[in-house]
Amino acid sequence: MALVSDHPLYLLGLRFPLKLRVSVRQGYVTLHNEIATKKLGSGDSFVVPAFLRFACDVMPGRGKPAVFTLALEHDDTEAAGGGKRWSRALAQHIFHSPQGQWTAARLAALWQVTPHKARARLFAEGEALLSLVREQRLAHALHTAAQADGDDERGLAEVAAGSGFASVPAFCDACVDVAGVRPALFLRGQGGAGPESAL
């Protein structure tokens, strides 16, 4: 599968816990943050550093939709991004188990500290538990939907549930709040007819 868009698409606030390879099959994709910009055309790919927040502008070609994929690249030798040791480690846990109940108590048990201390560690790195959970569940959903080597198309409900969202509307709300777009814009080909496909 791949993410497909017939219209210009501007994804904001994306962040993945590991390196992410963005590959363009068709159309154009521009990756950028406050420091750098990378433009990609058909056949190009680029690896975004782990835990780097970035935006992704997608432009279709003439008469053809934009088609691109996202793939995590596992590299245990890479240092923690931006000095955010605790929040990046937590992001990896959430991404790999998005359906889990990520509470302060669970985080405290994971880190063997009090819930207050666990929250303080995240706060010191400029992060908040609930925001990080929502962000990484959305990253998981995007990654799931964008795999290049799958013939099993998944509808919004399946993508949402598999990424830990309680419902399709919760998934859509997170997508709009974090990435700035409705998921139907890039999950066009993901099966799922019916009312949820209009979200």
Side-chain angles (χ1 to χ4, degrees):
M1 286 186 287
L3 297 181
V4 179
S5 181
D6 289 305
H7 307 286
L9 183 64
Y10 305 99
L11 293 161
L12 308 171
L14 303 180
R15 189 166 58 162
F16 291 78
L18 299 169
K19 289 180 180 179
L20 181 78
R21 180 172 294 278
V22 180
S23 300
V24 181
R25 292 183 179 179
Q26 191 170 276
Y28 305 91
V29 171
T30 300
L31 307 172
H32 59 92
N33 62 8
E34 63 276 1
I35 299 173
T37 298
K38 181 67 177 179
K39 296 182 178 181
L40 307 174
S42 299
D44 293 338
S45 68
F46 182 76
V47 177
V48 179
F51 215 52
L52 176 72
R53 194 180 303 280
F54 67 99
C56 180
D57 300 341
V58 181
M59 294 295 293
R62 292 184 179 180
K64 295 182 178 180
V67 181
F68 63 104
T69 62
L70 308 174
L72 291 178
E73 297 205 340
H74 298 270
D75 183 0
D76 295 334
T77 64
E78 184 178 38
K84 296 193 173 188
R85 171 189 171 196
W86 297 106
S87 50
R88 182 183 169 197
L90 176 58
Q92 289 183 21
H93 284 295
I94 297 167
F95 187 92
H96 292 301
S97 300
Q99 296 173 327
Q101 296 297 316
W102 290 101
T103 63
R106 179 175 181 181
L107 182 56
L110 181 67
W111 287 346
Q112 298 183 342
V113 296
T114 65
H116 177 75
K117 178 67 173 178
R119 287 184 182 276
R121 284 178 175 174
L122 292 179
F123 181 78
E125 294 182 354
E127 305 288 345
L129 177 58
L130 292 180
S131 296
L132 196 59
V133 169
R134 199 176 199 207
E135 170 195 280
Q136 290 305 306
R137 283 177 172 167
L138 179 58
H140 183 275
L142 289 172
H143 183 259
T144 297
Q147 295 311 293
D149 57 354
D151 295 325
D152 55 328
E153 293 194 345
R154 299 169 185 170
L156 283 176
E158 188 177 350
V159 171
S163 297
F165 291 100
S167 64
V168 170
F171 171 43
C172 293
D173 288 347
C175 199
V176 170
D177 292 346
V178 177
V181 298
R182 297 188 318 276
L185 289 178
F186 53 82
L187 292 177
R188 181 193 68 177
Q190 308 300 325
E196 66 188 33
S197 63
L199 295 171

